């Protein structure tokens, strides 16, 4: 297997803060690799180091086989960067923004124009091509950002929180674009604080917290790590909650969580289900919902970090254990 | 997504860009700063109306009181107004740079395989073009109002070159401020708080001998006075060599002090 991105022991401090505390990464060529973590976990710092924008204090990294420090110029020929910190010029039109990048990459004027037109068409921005980017909606802005990072046909694409603040439709459109790029052979490093996004797009995920990779694997491997399954019980009568909690705790041998009237607890043994049913029956509790399912990435995150991943700006995302 | 969107071959050469490539990047980035004007006509008004308004207001409001007639005052004040306008205009460099830094445009440019110095050079080049436009406009409006060149085209060209050289040096202050402050508006506030008093405590608008004694001491060493005198010499007549040499020395000192500070601040920020 070849790796498009490799990093070993990346450390980066900002004054007293340690943004990266020894990060190792290996991203196989032609895959989507997800860097998952809450705000301030060090995701953006990692991307900035790998995209040659920031020097690491310790450790080293290669992109496309080139050292990001020594061969920064070669690395820049291979990469595209989109995200919070790499933006288009709002005062220019969509066409002008893409022309600017094309010309800077050494394309002839006519070629740059053809490339701009093609990308704008691919990203459904043809109608807005001659409007200033500041008039674009959030989703259009993000598509133009992405188009700008694709002008030079990068082999490695860094997407730093590409869907933060986007509505569900724009988010889905962007995900489709990313899938298309990977189908064309591009390697994508995606940072996100949304578990759903990492789960849907990435073939491998590194969970980052406080500047360190605290877990790594496929989404399925990570989910299996927490013990595999989640027991959910919702009593019909909220007054039965304390009894349900104690039954769940006893059967699963772990401390359950309560969200509104739903009790969840991680379990390792599928045999717990009949036991729970028996105990609930004995206690004469009527249940509105009783289920055993694979754990979501959010539970993985909770068990790894001790805190839930951020959910701000994403009220539309329903988490699996929440009552309908 | 079409298959043609992606093919493997990178476009740029493998080695670091040389001087010629860097100059090409600089020109492209200067184009970018200038084409912005097309979408933001307010900027053109800024570059044009404000200087013209200053000339008209000062000439007709203060002219008679200070010099006896608007015509005589125009002859005295226009070179200084050109200097004041040029100093204000240097702030656009810091304003634009700060905008690029805070909005993320600068990072996008830095992640491209272009010469490291071209984003800054492109901006400064574009701002020099804007300066040239403002100066031409001021001289043009002045000529319509009756301003007479004392040294012909040679003097005009000399004034032009001296002013652009000084502005280029002074724009490093603007770059430093643009890197240090958190938002573009603060660059404008800085410009207002520093350049306004600096240009008014010079002999741009009022002859030095009409001011209180303590103030005269400052006015005589103020670099704005020196540059205004140099421009008067070149455009109207009178001593040239002294003030021109002193202005150039100031330009060299400003660049020598502020260019390294600005570049260091920029390296630390990004």
């Amino acid at each position: 297997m070849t790796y498009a991105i490799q990093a070993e022991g990346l450390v980066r401090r900002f004054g007293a803060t340690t943004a990266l505390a020894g990060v190792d990464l290996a991203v196989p060529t032609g895959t989507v690799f997800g860097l998952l973590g809450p705000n301030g976990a060090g995701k953006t710092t990692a991307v900035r180091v790998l995209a040659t924008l920031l020097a690491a204090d310790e450790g080293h990294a290669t992109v496309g086989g080139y050292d990001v420090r020594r061969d920064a110029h070669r690395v820049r020929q291979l990469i595209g960067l989109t995200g919070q910190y790499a933006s288009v010029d709002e005062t220019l039109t969509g066409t002008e923004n893409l022309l600017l990048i094309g010309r800077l990459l050494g394309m002839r004027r006519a070629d740059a124009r053809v490339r701009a037109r093609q990308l704008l068409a691919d990203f459904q921005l043809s109608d807005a091509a001659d409007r200033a980017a500041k008039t674009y909606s959030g989703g259009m802005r993000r598509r133009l950002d992405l188009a700008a990072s694709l002008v030079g046909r990068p082999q490695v694409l860094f997407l730093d929180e590409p869907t933060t603040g986007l509505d569900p439709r724009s988010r889905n459109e962007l995900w489709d674009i990313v899938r298309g790029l990977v189908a064309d052979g591009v390697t994508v490093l995606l940072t996100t604080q949304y578990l759903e996004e990492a789960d849907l797009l990435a073939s491998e995920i590194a969970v980052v917290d406080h500047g360190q990779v605290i877990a790594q694997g496929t989404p399925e491997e990570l989910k299996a790590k927490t013990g595999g399954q989640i027991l959910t019980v919702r009593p019909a009568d909220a007054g039965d909650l304390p009894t349900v909690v104690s039954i769940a705790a006893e059967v699963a041998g772990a401390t359950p969580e309560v969200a509104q009237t739903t009790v969840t607890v991680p379990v390792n043994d599928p045999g717990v289900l009949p036991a729970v049913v028996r105990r609930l029956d004995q206690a004469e509790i009527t249940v509105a919902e009783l289920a055993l399912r694979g754990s979501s990435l959010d539970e993985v995150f909770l068990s790894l970090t001790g805190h839930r991943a951020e959910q701000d700006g994403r009220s539309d995302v329903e988490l699996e254990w929440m009552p309908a | 997504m079409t298959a043609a969107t992606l093919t493997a071959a990178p476009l740029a050469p493998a080695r670091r860009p040389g001087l010629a490539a860097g100059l090409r990047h600089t020109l492209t980035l200067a184009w970018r700063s200038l084409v912005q004007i097309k979408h933001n006509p307010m900027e053109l008004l800024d570059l044009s109306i404000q200087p013209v308004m200053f000339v008209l207001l000062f000439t007709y409001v203060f002219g008679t009181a200070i010099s006896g007639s608007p015509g005589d005052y125009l002859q005295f004040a226009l070179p200084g107004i050109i200097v004041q306008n040029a100093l204000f205009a240097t702030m656009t460099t810091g304003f634009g740079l700060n905008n690029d830094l805070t909005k993320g445009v600068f990072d996008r440019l830095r992640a491209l395989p272009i010469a490291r110095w071209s984003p800054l050079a492109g901006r400064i080049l574009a701002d020099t073009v804007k300066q040239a436009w403002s100066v031409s406009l001021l001289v043009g409006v002045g000529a319509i109002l009756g301003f007479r060149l004392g040294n012909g085209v040679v003097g005009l060209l000399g004034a032009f070159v001296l002013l652009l050289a000084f502005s280029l040096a002074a724009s490093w202050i603007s770059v430093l401020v643009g890197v240090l402050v958190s938002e573009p508006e603060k660059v404008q506030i800085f410009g207002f708080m520093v350049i306004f008093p600096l240009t008014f405590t010079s002999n741009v608008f009022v002859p030095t001998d009409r001011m209180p004694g303590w103030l005269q001491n400052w006015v005589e060493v103020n670099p704005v006075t020196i540059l205004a005198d140099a421009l008067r010499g070149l455009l109207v007549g009178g001593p040239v060599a002294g003030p021109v040499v002193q202005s150039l020395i100031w330009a060299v000192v400003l660049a020598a002090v502020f260019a390294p500070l600005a570049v260091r601040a920029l390296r630390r920020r990004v």
Side-chain angles (χ1 to χ4, degrees), chain A residues 299-319:
Chain A
E299 279 126 5
V300 177
F301 199 81
L302 177 64
S303 75
L304 288 170
T305 65
H307 56 87
R308 292 218 180 273
E310 251 83 333
Q311 291 297 331
D312 50 323
R314 288 291 287 274
S315 51
D316 55 286
V317 177
E318 259 191 29
L319 299 169

Side-chain angles (χ1 to χ4, degrees), chain A:
Chain A
M1 190 182 294
T2 62
Y3 293 98
I5 303 169
Q6 281 184 296
E8 270 172 49
L10 291 182
V11 175
R12 172 70 202 204
R13 297 178 203 90
F14 295 101
T17 333
T18 304
L20 296 179
V23 167
D24 299 332
L25 291 174
V27 181
T29 305
T31 65
V32 179
F33 188 95
L35 269 187
L36 176 67
N39 265 332
K43 305 184 300 285
T44 295
T45 307
V47 166
R48 287 172 57 87
V49 167
L50 294 171
T52 77
L53 295 177
L54 190 69
D57 295 326
E58 289 167 36
H60 61 90
T62 62
V63 172
Y66 294 113
D67 189 284
V68 294
R69 289 296 286 166
R70 273 199 320 277
D71 293 315
H73 185 69
R74 283 173 192 268
V75 171
R76 291 183 194 118
Q77 291 169 28
L78 303 176
I79 63 170
L81 175 63
T82 295
Q84 302 166 289
Y85 297 100
S87 172
V88 296
D89 185 336
E90 290 183 331
T91 54
L92 299 187
T93 66
T95 303
E96 284 164 351
N97 265 297
L98 300 186
L99 270 180
L100 171 69
I101 308 277
R103 294 287 286 158
L104 287 174
L105 290 173
M107 293 168 128
R108 286 203 312 260
R109 200 179 301 272
D111 296 340
R113 211 163 265 289
V114 168
R115 180 80 181 136
R117 199 173 300 132
Q118 175 202 357
L119 280 166
L120 289 167
D122 281 354
F123 287 55
Q124 282 121 49
L125 290 168
S126 296
D127 293 342
D130 296 321
R131 263 166 45 200
K134 64 182 166 216
T135 67
Y136 285 19
S137 70
M140 291 163 76
R141 266 288 299 272
R142 224 54 79 83
R143 292 207 299 274
L144 182 61
D145 274 348
L146 191 51
S149 61
L150 295 176
V151 172
R153 299 180 167 86
Q155 296 171 20
V156 178
L157 187 62
F158 296 100
L159 297 179
D160 192 17
E161 304 205 0
T163 61
T164 302
L166 288 189
D167 60 82
R169 207 186 68 132
S170 308
R171 201 175 63 219
N172 281 319
E173 284 171 0
L174 214 103
W175 286 346
D176 284 341
I177 292 170
V178 173
R179 290 192 187 99
L181 289 169
V182 176
D184 286 346
V186 177
T187 307
V188 177
L189 181 73
L190 169 88
T191 81
T192 182
Q193 33 180 324
Y194 305 135
L195 307 152
E196 182 196 8
E197 184 162 274
D199 201 356
L200 279 173
L201 289 179
S203 50
E204 200 165 350
I205 295 171
V207 182
V208 189
D209 200 31
H210 301 298
Q212 281 178 312
V213 176
I214 52 174
Q216 191 171 332
T218 65
E220 287 67 35
E221 282 167 1
L222 287 178
K223 287 177 199 169
K225 263 194 184 175
T226 48
Q229 293 187 303
I230 296 290
L231 175 71
T232 308
V233 187
R234 183 158 60 93
D237 179 359
D240 290 331
L241 264 178
T243 323
V244 171
V245 169
S246 68
I247 291 173
E250 201 181 309
V251 173
T255 314
E257 275 211 11
V258 183
Q260 293 178 31
T261 60
T262 306
V263 179
T264 53
V265 66
V267 293
N268 292 312
D269 174 13
V272 296
L273 199 55
V276 171
V277 172
R278 253 194 322 273
R279 294 290 308 275
L280 288 171
D281 190 42
Q282 281 163 12
E284 294 184 342
I285 292 170
T286 318
V287 291
E289 187 191 342
L290 177 66
L292 192 63
R293 68 185 87 168
S295 56
S296 75
L297 268 179
D298 200 70
E299 279 126 5
V300 177
F301 199 81
L302 177 64
S303 75
L304 288 170
T305 65
H307 56 87
R308 292 218 180 273
E310 251 83 333
Q311 291 297 331
D312 50 323
R314 288 291 287 274
S315 51
D316 55 286
V317 177
E318 259 191 29
L319 299 169
E320 270 185 55
W321 70 85
M322 278 194 178

Side-chain angles (χ1 to χ4, degrees), chain B residues 8-251:
Chain B
L11 296 155
R15 258 170 283 129
R16 276 182 163 277
L19 188 63
L23 288 174
R24 209 177 55 237
H25 301 149
T26 300
L27 284 176
T28 303
L29 287 160
W31 164 80
R32 169 226 163 190
S33 293
L34 292 173
V35 88
Q36 284 175 339
I37 297 175
K38 199 172 77 186
H39 305 294
N40 189 9
M42 282 306 290
E43 197 180 340
L44 192 64
L45 290 185
D46 252 13
L47 287 172
S48 313
I49 293 204
Q50 193 186 313
V52 171
M53 201 168 67
F54 261 73
V55 172
L56 291 174
L57 286 178
F58 274 94
T59 304
Y60 292 105
V61 176
F62 296 122
T64 311
I66 296 173
S67 298
S69 77
D72 288 344
Y73 185 68
L74 183 68
Q75 209 65 10
F76 165 76
L78 186 67
I81 293 176
I82 292 173
V83 170
Q84 187 198 35
N85 183 67
L87 290 178
F88 271 117
T90 60
M91 283 299 134
T92 55
T93 305
F95 183 85
L97 179 65
N98 187 274
N99 214 22
D100 280 358
L101 286 167
T102 48
K103 296 264 170 71
V105 177
F106 207 73
D107 268 357
R108 158 142 286 149
L109 296 177
R110 287 177 63 238
L112 292 172
I114 57 174
R116 302 289 84 194
W117 47 271
S118 60
L120 197 53
R123 182 157 286 291
I124 291 176
L125 177 62
D127 290 336
T128 306
V129 173
K130 292 178 193 171
Q131 283 274 14
W133 160 256
S134 289
V135 178
S136 310
L137 190 72
L138 280 173
V139 172
V141 170
I144 293 169
L145 297 179
F147 183 79
R148 299 171 309 278
L149 289 174
N151 291 317
V153 179
V154 177
L156 182 62
L157 283 179
F160 207 72
V161 171
L162 178 66
L163 192 77
L164 292 186
F166 193 92
S167 306
L168 206 61
S171 64
W172 286 109
I173 302 173
S174 173
V175 171
L176 179 64
V177 175
V179 174
L180 292 180
V181 300
S182 54
E183 50 199 272
E185 285 67 30
K186 288 187 179 155
V187 179
Q188 285 178 317
I189 294 169
F190 171 88
F192 191 80
M193 302 232 306
V194 172
I195 295 173
F196 236 93
L198 199 64
T199 50
F200 271 82
T201 59
S202 73
N203 69 2
V204 163
F205 298 107
V206 178
T208 315
D209 56 23
R210 302 281 182 88
M211 298 183 202
W214 58 269
L215 187 56
Q216 291 187 17
N217 296 329
W218 158 246
V219 170
E220 276 162 15
V221 296
N222 184 345
V224 179
T225 301
I226 294 164
L227 185 60
D229 279 342
L231 254 69
R232 280 191 192 105
L234 289 163
L235 292 174
V236 182
V240 171
V244 167
V245 169
Q246 285 182 56
S247 299
L248 289 174
I249 292 172
W250 263 106

